[in-house]
Amino acid sequence: MKKSTKAPGGVPRRRNLPLMLLQAREVLLQHFRPIFQDFGLTEQQWRILRVLNDHERLEQHEITSLCQISGPSLSNILSRLEATGYVTRERGREDHRKVFVTLAKSGLTLVGEVANHVDARYREIEKALGADLMSALFVVLDRLLAQGRDAIDERTKGSKGENVPTGRNSDLLS
């Protein structure tokens, strides 16, 4: 049976971009999961360690945002990473509600070891897909992330600031 390219009412059907991005993520992660497992890490733990490696010190809420991990999950994951000695947490001196997280020395060592394997896997993926496609993917994703939801929302507003209906199938972020 052939898939219809039109939604009810004859409106052209859009492809489901969020679903495609999730599927692409899954395709890529299947190449990296064995690396994380070899080092006893989950995907979420690796995301946190990698982000901490890129920043000297972060507040927990910043990690939540950067790693796309819910606050309660992050708290549990950080407890495990702290128990293994990979990260340290410290309450803010002036505002005790703030919790800052840094990469411990053993965490830094671990990130270096895992990153060597991850980088090698990226080279294999780039060889399979081609450097041009990899570069184009990064350019498109960087552009999407830089523009973000606010820029997309602004473009869908009418002249009086009200939201203009765009149809169920055209919402980029649903």
Side-chain angles (χ1 to χ4, degrees), residues 94-114:
E94 295 170 16
D95 185 347
H96 295 288
R97 295 172 296 177
K98 292 182 178 184
V99 176
F100 294 94
V101 184
T102 56
L103 200 56
K105 188 174 182 176
S106 62
L108 186 59
T109 301
L110 177 66
V111 168
E113 292 173 11
V114 175

Side-chain angles (χ1 to χ4, degrees), residues 1-5:
M1 178 182 234
K2 186 178 177 185
K3 290 196 302 188
S4 171
T5 58

Side-chain angles (χ1 to χ4, degrees), residues 1-24:
M1 178 182 234
K2 186 178 177 185
K3 290 196 302 188
S4 171
T5 58
K6 301 240 181 210
V11 177
R13 210 180 273 279
R14 293 216 184 255
R15 296 177 73 183
N16 186 337
L17 182 59
L19 180 59
M20 291 178 71
L21 289 170
L22 284 171
Q23 291 168 338

Side-chain angles (χ1 to χ4, degrees), residues 32 35-36 46 50 53 111-127 134:
F32 295 99
I35 296 169
F36 306 147
W46 173 246
R50 182 154 182 174
N53 189 59
V111 168
E113 292 173 11
V114 175
N116 288 332
H117 295 276
V118 167
D119 291 344
R121 189 60 45 93
Y122 268 119
R123 287 190 296 275
E124 292 169 8
I125 292 169
E126 185 173 309
K127 186 176 179 183
M134 286 291 286

Side-chain angles (χ1 to χ4, degrees), residues 41-55 63 67 81 86-87 102-104 107-108 110-111 114:
L41 295 171
T42 65
E43 297 163 33
Q44 294 86 359
Q45 288 172 328
W46 173 246
R47 284 198 310 250
I48 293 165
L49 293 172
R50 182 154 182 174
V51 163
L52 286 171
N53 189 59
D54 293 341
H55 300 84
I63 297 170
C67 293
L81 289 172
Y86 295 140
V87 303
T102 56
L103 200 56
L108 186 59
L110 177 66
V111 168
V114 175

Side-chain angles (χ1 to χ4, degrees), residues 153-166:
D153 285 348
E154 279 300 312
R155 292 184 182 151
T156 60
K157 287 188 177 176
S159 60
K160 295 181 183 177
E162 73 276 1
N163 283 332
V164 175
T166 58

Side-chain angles (χ1 to χ4, degrees), residues 55-69:
H55 300 84
E56 192 170 316
R57 179 179 181 206
L58 290 172
E59 279 188 63
Q60 276 192 209
H61 76 87
E62 292 173 308
I63 297 170
T64 297
S65 177
L66 289 168
C67 293
Q68 297 295 297
I69 298 173

